[in-house]
Amino acid sequence: MTDGPEPPRSGSALAATALFLAALAVRALPWRHVFDADRVVFAGNDAWYHVRRAMFALAHFPAHVDVDPFLAWPDGSRAIWPPAFDALVAAAAAPAWALAGLRGAETAAAWVPPVLGALGVVALHAAVRALDGARAALVAGALACVLGGLTWYAQVGFVDHHVAVSALAAAMLGAAVRVALDDSLAHVAALSALEALALVTWPGALLHVALVELGLLAGRLVGPRDAQPVESARWLRRRALGHALAAALVAPFCTAAPPEPWSAWSATVLSHFQPWAFAAAAAHAALASAVFARTAEGARGARTAAAAGIALAVAGASAVVFPELLRAGGEAWQWLARAEDFQHVVAESEPLFERRGALALAPALARLSALGLLLPALVAAYARDARARRDAPARAVVLVFAVGAALAAVAQKRFAGEAALAVAWLAGWAAVRAADALAPALGRGRARAAVGAALLALAAPALAPHARAAREAFDAAAPLPAPQQSRRNLLAAADWLRAEAGIAPDAPPSLDAPGFGVLAPWEHGHALLYAAALPVVASNFGDDVGPRGFALHREYFRSAEPRAVRLLDRLRARFVVVESLTSDDRERLGPRTMLRRLAEPALVGLAHHRLRFATPARAARAGVASYRVFERVAGATIEGSAPPGESVEATLVATPGATRVVARARADASGRFAIAVAQASDDAGGAAWQLRAGALEGRVVVAARAVREGGRVEAPPLAVARRDAQP
């Protein structure tokens, strides 16, 4: 079963400890990007909502966030995530909350991902050691320390459930291997508990559960041909018990109605589907065991046919009793295949060999290194070796998981962590076999050195990012990368919003929503919701929650101002946050769309969008995004007299971002003009609006109250501009 005599337990514990510390150190390298003097800047986008739920639980224990009025404003919604991961983050941060309040708890929460990631490496090491020996486990663990698929979500500050899912996948894989080797009740119960925990951490872990269960089934099919019917029946009874236990464990978390638009039987969110799936599997195994116990020895084909018939009968009966199940399968496939509009713009849903819609190798190398490209060959070699071994059923679990995880990662790179587990396992096994094969010719030491050098070369794409992060971690003068500076610019906008709403900087998350919300591009929703403590119309959940508001937020950015203002009122959105545009973005947007008009260097013709905040000019840098905050106002009207038919232009340099604001109108036949403006003189440090009509000029002060309430301001008579005498 293993590659030689096992070392003492003390040696295994020492190796596991060393791997844990090494994995933790690698995942802690970006610490400078996360910890500022006065705040924690969480990585990624989803982290902010996970932290909101965790901090709310600490501040309002035993209450928790269920329907959140801050999501999908103004309707509110449940999140699509189950509660387990956020409860874990809250529990881990509870001591820091007691000692140092909100900021201390945020700091503790930021360290949860690297700790979970390191525990996942230890779990993989234990799983490989149980099947392929200590040397393969050590190599696999070392690779798992650095492979990007396992470090991305596990880096410090990246508080995302996917790090827990990868760790649970490693633990499930190890538990399934142990069940295949020895299906004792203890091993069966451990696997069932891990499967249930995985699903209440993320419903997408249904894929992981399916892979380990298919692996166990495949192992049974490739097992000894002389397996007795009684033994097969006993194995099925154990699986029935395991499935029943998993159903009982997951069912209490599946009672709440899923968020709109998901059905009550959706496989994509926690619903009736998960307990049904386990219950159906338990029923199938129990019925099959009864049939197997009554079949004659040698009738393997008959038993296989009976098992297939029972599976069809259980599925058919379920579809008759619960017809909604047919929709559940379609929803799951639609999500996995990215057959919906929103999934096409989610970065982690991109295929592994694609970047921005174009075929690319770089993402795969970054997540799996060059070893990932060798995975088909590693799978074939492992399968060939497994055929003649008594532990073939356990190896079938590894093979099925490896193939399934690789295919899932090719479809969506969010599964690259699970594919990295397979790459590390099989590469570790292959390295030991290669070293043993070369030892007679090169000697043991040289063989291991040669194999180690080859592994280093193949893993180089995974090592390079960590080397850069290590240099930055210990270079205080190194500038923050552009994405990190962009995030801080966004947080500056959030801080302004929070202060404008009168919310204290250290106030914990609340469910008491004010009477207005914030409309911003969906990809900034979670960060703004947490940092500004204000409701958002659209968030990183996209149309998975509140599809009505998500559609209206998109319509707003594509509309001209009259229509856009009506949408803001319909959504009760007082503020709008926009991000600077690239030249490509500007070209694909129409000149009258709100997204382009609000992001232009000069603000022209805005009648109801008052610029209140802009990223300071000193924060501008190549590749760094800047942000503006606008307030929906009634707008003021500057009225006055000018030559009939003359064009009148009003300009103001607003203090936020030193932004030039322009509004225009034409005098009518009687010589009167009316210019709609959204900026007050207060927004320019008290400066007046400058008016120009041909050779005539004038100045007019517009009070903030007039802008807010729709006041009319009479401009003094325009006069010929004075020119200073020439020397």
Side-chain angles (χ1 to χ4, degrees), residues 216-266:
L216 286 170
L217 180 59
R220 198 68 195 170
L221 293 176
V222 302
R225 303 295 295 178
D226 58 349
Q228 299 295 317
V230 173
E231 180 188 348
S232 296
R234 185 194 64 81
W235 184 85
L236 285 167
R237 285 196 296 273
R238 294 289 173 91
R239 298 311 307 132
L241 285 172
H243 295 318
L245 175 60
L249 290 173
V250 79
F253 299 93
C254 302
T255 56
E260 187 186 359
W262 304 104
S263 70
W265 286 83
S266 175

Side-chain angles (χ1 to χ4, degrees), residues 340-711:
E340 54 175 302
D341 181 48
F342 175 64
Q343 286 300 322
H344 276 280
V345 296
V346 177
E348 63 186 6
S349 296
E350 287 183 343
L352 187 61
F353 292 94
E354 184 177 303
R355 175 173 287 173
R356 295 171 186 164
L359 187 65
L361 187 61
L365 291 176
R367 299 296 175 97
L368 302 178
S369 79
L371 290 167
L373 304 180
L374 298 178
L375 188 58
L378 293 172
V379 167
Y382 198 76
R384 190 181 311 111
D385 182 75
R387 286 184 302 179
R389 301 179 65 102
R390 292 182 57 83
D391 56 11
R395 293 176 181 277
V397 174
V398 179
L399 288 167
V400 170
F401 185 89
V403 173
L407 291 175
V410 168
Q412 292 190 18
K413 67 182 180 185
R414 76 175 80 227
F415 294 105
E418 290 66 53
L421 291 173
V423 169
W425 186 316
L426 297 183
W429 167 84
V432 170
R433 293 298 181 271
D436 288 345
L438 293 173
L442 300 179
R444 186 171 298 276
R446 289 184 177 179
R448 290 181 176 179
V451 172
L455 276 180
L456 280 175
L458 291 168
L463 296 171
H466 304 312
R468 289 193 298 271
R471 288 196 300 270
E472 292 177 357
F474 299 102
D475 182 2
L480 285 170
Q484 301 301 327
Q485 186 57 59
S486 298
R487 176 54 51 84
R488 281 157 175 79
N489 289 347
L490 178 65
L491 294 179
D495 289 343
W496 183 91
L497 284 164
R498 191 180 188 113
E500 179 70 9
I503 303 170
D506 57 351
S510 167
L511 294 181
D512 297 326
F516 62 90
V518 177
L519 189 148
W522 64 266
E523 59 267 30
H524 303 312
H526 286 165
L528 286 171
L529 191 161
Y530 183 79
L534 291 173
V536 294
V537 172
S539 72
N540 301 75
F541 288 127
D543 60 2
D544 290 341
V545 303
R548 182 186 76 93
F550 184 77
L552 292 177
H553 118 282
R554 279 187 163 178
E555 185 179 349
Y556 165 85
F557 283 118
R558 295 168 179 168
S559 298
E561 190 175 37
R563 170 64 176 161
V565 169
R566 290 194 294 272
L567 291 171
L568 288 180
D569 294 341
R570 182 175 173 185
L571 293 166
R572 291 162 48 201
R574 176 182 168 189
F575 294 105
V576 177
V577 179
V578 294
E579 184 179 49
S580 55
L581 298 176
T582 66
S583 56
D584 290 342
D585 290 334
R586 290 185 73 259
E587 289 301 319
R588 65 182 176 81
L589 292 168
R592 292 179 56 81
T593 59
M594 290 309 303
L595 185 56
R596 177 164 166 178
R597 292 183 68 190
L598 297 180
E600 293 283 28
L603 301 175
V604 180
L606 294 176
H608 303 285
H609 288 76
R610 180 186 180 191
L611 178 64
R612 300 297 309 280
F613 170 88
T615 304
R618 65 178 181 275
R621 199 172 89 223
V624 175
S626 60
Y627 296 88
R628 289 171 171 172
V629 179
F630 293 85
E631 183 179 14
R632 189 269 192 253
V633 292
T637 303
I638 300 174
E639 297 180 343
S641 298
E646 186 72 66
S647 176
V648 184
E649 180 178 273
T651 61
L652 183 77
V653 178
T655 303
T659 307
R660 185 168 179 263
V661 184
V662 181
R664 300 184 180 95
R666 188 173 295 277
D668 61 18
S670 64
R672 294 292 293 174
F673 67 84
I675 303 177
V677 298
Q679 297 297 139
S681 295
D682 294 356
D683 302 328
W689 277 88
Q690 303 296 313
L691 303 177
R692 181 184 295 274
L696 302 178
E697 291 183 351
R699 300 170 72 247
V700 61
V701 173
V702 178
R705 181 175 180 178
V707 167
R708 289 194 302 267
E709 299 178 2

